Amino acid sequence: MPHVSALYRHPVKGFTAEERDTLVVQDDGRIEGDRVLAFRFADAATPEEHDGLDYWPKSKGLALMDFPSLARLRLRFDEGLGRLSVRLHDELVLETTLDAEGRREASERIARFVLSTPDGRRLERGGRLPLVLVGDGRTSRFQDRPRGFVSLHGRPSVRAVDEVTPDAVVDDRRFRSNIVVDGLEPWSELDWRGRVRIGEVVFAVQRPIIRCLAIHADPDSGERDAPLLKTLTRVFGQAEPTLGILLLPAEGGGAIRLGDSVELLD
């Protein structure tokens, strides 16, 4: 039977995934504690507007799509204390709080790291420095789409990609979904329509996820080691590189836990 096999949230946009036993889905269709902070370019520290909603385009801040070296960093955010810490291997890069001085320190040290990597040339473009750490550490708001959404993929689909990618390891972390489901056929989640119940939450299925260059980055080394966009289109015959789906709660939020069953209702 299909069931939840992994749950993730990402406190800071583009940085370390945080594996959880339980996720809380908010009524607004976002995961509590997910993407509550982001490092934005100097000229993009306030949101744009899209269909009456705040919109923070990932192309205007630090994200794996353009800065794969971020995957080398191990970030932890203590939401209770508002404390951010970042390590590179065993070296402490940063440990600070979210007051004005702490945000400035965090932005400077993360910029310094990025500038030391092959991705640094992208950060040197006009209008990008100094970086600005935005977000209150509580409100989920920096998803790729203005509406937010909860993201889901099937682990068998990822296994199928891994099997045809001999020179790299492809696992769930590359795709940065909130919910990973096992016990179903590869790619079958792309055919879901209508409503699906996961744990306490009934979701309305929205649409498939068209992927970007972020999935090329190894989640440990930060190297672009696998051209997975071409793999999805050429090997699997997709019109656009697609893996996973977007969901919104149909009847309000609730909790999802590891092992919860997944039931198609329509």
Side-chain angles (χ1 to χ4, degrees):
M1 172 179 286
H3 61 276
V4 175
S5 57
L7 296 169
Y8 296 98
R9 68 181 189 180
H10 306 80
V12 182
K13 170 67 181 173
F15 286 75
T16 311
E18 182 181 83
E19 195 161 3
R20 308 282 289 185
D21 294 330
T22 303
L23 289 182
V24 175
V25 181
Q26 301 173 167
D27 290 347
D28 68 356
R30 300 172 193 257
I31 298 296
E32 184 178 286
D34 186 56
R35 279 99 169 175
V36 298
L37 295 166
F39 288 93
R40 302 289 297 175
F41 300 149
D43 60 2
T46 56
E48 300 179 11
E49 187 271 336
H50 186 80
D51 293 336
L53 298 170
D54 284 354
Y55 179 40
W56 301 84
K58 62 183 176 182
S59 61
K60 297 184 179 182
L62 294 188
L64 286 172
M65 176 180 70
D66 292 322
F67 300 92
S69 295
L70 295 175
R72 295 167 53 197
L73 298 175
R74 291 294 169 262
L75 180 147
R76 289 189 179 182
F77 178 59
D78 185 324
E79 56 194 318
L81 297 176
R83 180 170 293 276
L84 190 67
S85 63
V86 180
R87 289 185 176 274
L88 176 62
H89 307 302
D90 294 329
E91 177 187 354
L92 183 65
V93 174
L94 167 70
E95 188 168 41
T96 190
T97 55
L98 296 182
D99 58 16
E101 181 58 33
R103 288 172 184 267
R104 185 162 48 250
E105 179 187 7
S107 298
E108 290 174 356
R109 293 198 181 188
I110 294 301
R112 194 180 309 154
F113 166 78
V114 174
L115 290 169
S116 73
T117 73
D119 305 333
R121 55 188 173 80
R122 299 187 183 94
L123 194 56
E124 293 173 338
R125 295 173 184 170
R128 296 193 166 186
L129 289 173
L131 292 176
V132 182
L133 177 59
V134 298
D136 60 12
R138 298 182 303 276
T139 307
S140 178
R141 65 179 69 176
F142 300 110
Q143 287 79 10
D144 290 343
R145 303 157 187 86
R147 184 62 182 82
F149 299 106
V150 174
S151 54
L152 174 150
H153 72 250
R155 182 164 283 170
S157 301
V158 173
R159 290 195 193 105
V161 176
D162 183 53
E163 288 172 359
V164 298
T165 312
D167 297 327
V169 175
V170 179
D171 62 30
D172 295 318
R173 295 175 299 159
R174 283 190 191 247
F175 301 95
R176 302 181 70 77
S177 295
N178 299 125
I179 304 170
V180 181
V181 174
D182 212 339
L184 67 169
E185 293 298 314
W187 311 111
S188 60
E189 68 271 22
L190 299 183
D191 296 326
W192 291 1
R193 300 291 185 273
R195 298 179 304 152
V196 57
R197 184 189 303 278
I198 307 174
E200 299 176 358
V201 186
V202 174
F203 290 99
V205 178
Q206 300 299 300
R207 60 181 183 270
I209 302 173
I210 308 302
R211 294 295 175 169
C212 70
L213 278 172
I215 66 174
H216 284 198
D218 181 282
D220 294 314
S221 70
E223 298 290 333
R224 284 180 174 165
D225 62 349
L228 297 186
L229 298 181
K230 290 181 179 179
T231 300
L232 291 169
T233 55
R234 295 180 182 180
V235 177
F236 295 100
Q238 298 178 351
E240 296 181 277
T242 304
L243 194 145
I245 57 175
L246 298 173
L247 308 169
L248 286 175
E251 303 173 359
I256 298 175
R257 298 173 177 85
L258 284 179
D260 277 350
S261 61
V262 178
E263 178 186 5
L264 294 177
L265 301 178
D266 301 326

